[in-house]
Amino acid sequence: MPAFLLFAIGGFVAQLVDGSLGMAYGVTSTTILLTAGLTPALASASVHLAEIGTSVVSGVSHWKFGNVDWKMVLLLGVPGAIGAFLGATALSNLSTEAAEPWMAAILFGLGLYVALKFALRPVRRRQLTGVSPKLLAPLGLVAGFVDATGGGGWGPVSTPTLLSTGKIEPRKVIGSVDTSEFLVALAASVGFLTALADQKFSWTTVAALLLGGVIAAPLAAYLVRIVPMRLIGVGAGGLIVLTNARTLVKGLDITTPSPTLIYVAITAAWVAALAYTVRGVVRERAQQPVAEQEEEQVEPVAG
């Protein structure tokens, strides 16, 4: 029961982040599972199995609100599924000693990416001409592979990249990426279950993550209206960086500079980024009309 509650809390926190930003469910929940002691492969497998359920609920919700571009879902999701299956197979065949620093490095990088993206000023919308399949297919393949091997990354890689083009409505970017995540989660889960058939697998962990995510979903929808998403992004990204820095320092046996000094430096940079973001949000709101402020609360941003 203590483990179930711990993982349910992990799913809850991850869904709060994902529901507020449109990304980072996998990155956040995998970080929590690794901290709790799961191996990289089992952590990523558990997260992706739980994501099958959460992505279905999210996809249906976005579809009902008209936020899904089905052409984009296929062009992004099918290559993403291929990349996720390959990534799951690759991670499952790595030893725990080799996989831990690899996954920590990916999560560290993704956390830094999310924090920087949301700390910077959002791009302004350009002409909505749509994104070429020449971008969607390779983007899906890379994001799917990173998602499976890193325990997360589909949203952090896909969403900011598509938002930064300014050629698609933000709501359709989020809706299409979230909906296509079902294909990625399903393919990754098949890869993990096939490769990890001889390992003990905990369905309780999956159920706990799913339960926590379902409970958090309504609260996340409320938070996105009252808390600036840029602030949530920097907060979550910095936490992911700090948590995975410990695994990296330990795995790479870094002694100079001292680990304590490294953690203090990361924390100081995180606090500075939060302060910078708060000042930026206050300044932008003072300059924006009320209508634009309301729109910013319901649409994601990218740096």
Side-chain angles (χ1 to χ4, degrees):
M1 183 58 69
F4 183 89
L5 291 176
L6 176 64
F7 296 143
I9 292 172
F12 182 88
V13 173
Q15 184 58 44
L16 277 183
V17 175
D18 189 78
S20 302
L21 302 178
M23 66 179 75
Y25 176 89
V27 177
T28 307
S29 53
T30 300
T31 296
I32 293 171
L33 293 185
L34 288 176
T35 303
L38 268 71
T39 65
L42 287 177
S44 187
S46 300
V47 168
H48 282 91
L49 282 164
E51 279 184 323
I52 293 176
T54 58
S55 62
V56 167
V57 175
S58 179
V60 170
S61 300
H62 281 299
W63 170 64
K64 287 186 176 180
F65 283 103
N67 297 337
V68 178
D69 182 330
W70 289 106
K71 181 179 179 181
M72 187 191 302
V73 168
L74 293 177
L75 290 173
L76 190 67
V78 172
I82 296 172
F85 181 83
L86 295 175
T89 303
L91 180 63
S92 299
N93 289 315
L94 286 177
S95 66
T96 299
E97 291 76 14
E100 282 185 349
W102 164 261
M103 181 176 282
I106 292 178
L107 292 172
F108 183 95
L110 289 174
L112 184 62
Y113 184 71
V114 170
L116 290 176
K117 276 290 181 182
F118 284 90
L120 300 176
R121 186 178 179 85
V123 297
R124 296 305 174 191
R125 194 178 300 174
R126 304 185 183 98
Q127 188 176 1
L128 303 179
T129 58
V131 177
S132 169
K134 293 181 180 180
L135 171 63
L136 291 173
L139 175 62
L141 185 66
V142 171
F145 186 85
V146 171
D147 187 76
T149 55
W154 180 250
V157 173
S158 300
T159 302
T161 300
L162 294 174
L163 285 174
S164 66
T165 67
K167 296 180 179 180
I168 313 170
E169 290 180 83
R171 65 184 182 89
K172 291 215 169 176
V173 170
I174 293 298
S176 301
V177 170
D178 280 0
T179 302
S180 60
E181 190 170 17
F182 170 77
L183 299 175
V184 175
L186 184 61
S189 297
V190 171
F192 281 122
L193 291 176
T194 301
L196 301 175
D198 58 340
Q199 294 193 30
K200 185 178 180 181
F201 192 83
S202 175
W203 290 100
T204 302
T205 302
V206 177
L209 287 173
L210 187 57
L211 176 62
V214 169
I215 295 174
L219 180 58
Y222 174 71
L223 286 177
V224 78
R225 291 185 171 276
I226 63 173
V227 181
M229 287 184 294
R230 291 179 63 191
L231 189 59
I232 298 174
V234 175
L239 181 61
I240 291 167
V241 167
L242 184 61
T243 303
N244 286 283
R246 180 177 177 274
T247 303
L248 274 177
V249 168
K250 181 180 177 182
L252 299 177
D253 195 24
I254 297 175
T255 56
T256 305
S258 69
T260 300
L261 184 60
I262 293 175
Y263 304 147
V264 169
I266 292 175
T267 302
W270 183 20
V271 172
L274 285 170
Y276 175 81
T277 304
V278 169
R279 288 198 299 269
V281 169
V282 172
R283 183 171 58 252
E284 289 171 9
R285 290 199 169 188
Q287 297 173 350
Q288 286 180 343
V290 175
E292 289 187 19
Q293 293 180 24
E294 292 177 350
E295 181 182 2
E296 183 177 310
Q297 286 300 306
V298 297
E299 293 185 349
V301 296

